Amino acid sequence: MVYALLKALHVLAVVLWVGGMAFAHFFLRPALATLEPPPQRLRLMHAVLGRFFAAVLWAVGLLLASGLWMIGRVARQVVQGGGSFAWPLDWVLMTALGLLMMAIFGHIRFVLYKRFSAAVNGQDWPAGAAALAQIRRWVGVNLALGVVVIAIALLI
């Protein structure tokens, strides 16, 4: 029961993170073109990303904790049953890509978003636009990695 609950929370955290990136990248960003140039667009994205990144911080923590717990539980059961635990290939790939995604998110949140916030708060619209473009590129990379992780989880 605990394993199933943690797995459900793990999947929901993935949905929030990857789904949020897809929404922002493919729907929110193009819709911003209907707003007045930089100040309104950048202020809106600053507010949206601030809320989204706060949620992703929680999701990342939940993903890390639940993933490690599930792996540990299975490993403990195998060893207690007299077997030898070896990580399945899909778990290795999902863990490695998940950790890479977390590192990229850390860069986005703590370096690029900080730069973006400073530009928006200082009303330096060219710097804000440049920072947002960098965030968009890295979110695109993380979105692609997230889709690969989901494919691995479903296909391997």
Side-chain angles (χ1 to χ4, degrees), residues 37-43 116 119-131:
Q40 291 82 5
R41 292 177 190 171
L42 295 178
R43 284 186 185 121
F116 180 53
V120 169
N121 292 333
Q123 297 184 1
D124 183 352
W125 308 123

Side-chain angles (χ1 to χ4, degrees), residues 9-143:
L9 290 173
H10 193 83
V11 170
L12 289 172
V14 169
V15 168
L16 179 130
W17 189 6
V18 176
M21 288 188 296
F23 171 78
H25 201 71
F26 294 114
F27 302 100
L28 178 60
R29 189 179 65 81
L32 287 175
T34 64
L35 294 178
E36 292 296 318
Q40 291 82 5
R41 292 177 190 171
L42 295 178
R43 284 186 185 121
L44 177 61
M45 282 305 293
H46 184 259
V48 168
L49 291 176
R51 288 173 177 81
F52 178 61
F53 291 161
V56 172
L57 276 174
W58 281 99
V60 164
L62 183 59
L63 284 164
L64 197 54
S66 61
L68 290 173
W69 190 90
M70 289 186 293
I71 291 167
R73 182 163 186 248
V74 169
R76 185 175 56 250
Q77 287 175 334
V78 169
V79 170
Q80 286 175 345
S84 174
F85 178 74
W87 282 46
L89 177 61
D90 57 336
W91 289 14
V92 171
L93 294 172
M94 286 188 293
T95 301
L97 291 174
L99 291 172
L100 176 60
M101 288 178 67
M102 290 175 194
I104 291 170
F105 171 72
H107 175 67
I108 293 168
R109 172 59 187 90
F110 297 111
V111 176
L112 300 178
Y113 182 72
K114 184 177 179 180
R115 189 178 303 151
F116 180 53
S117 292
V120 169
N121 292 333
Q123 297 184 1
D124 183 352
W125 308 123
L132 186 57
Q134 288 182 315
I135 290 170
R136 181 175 39 87
R137 277 192 292 279
W138 282 109
V139 166
V141 170
N142 250 5
L143 177 56

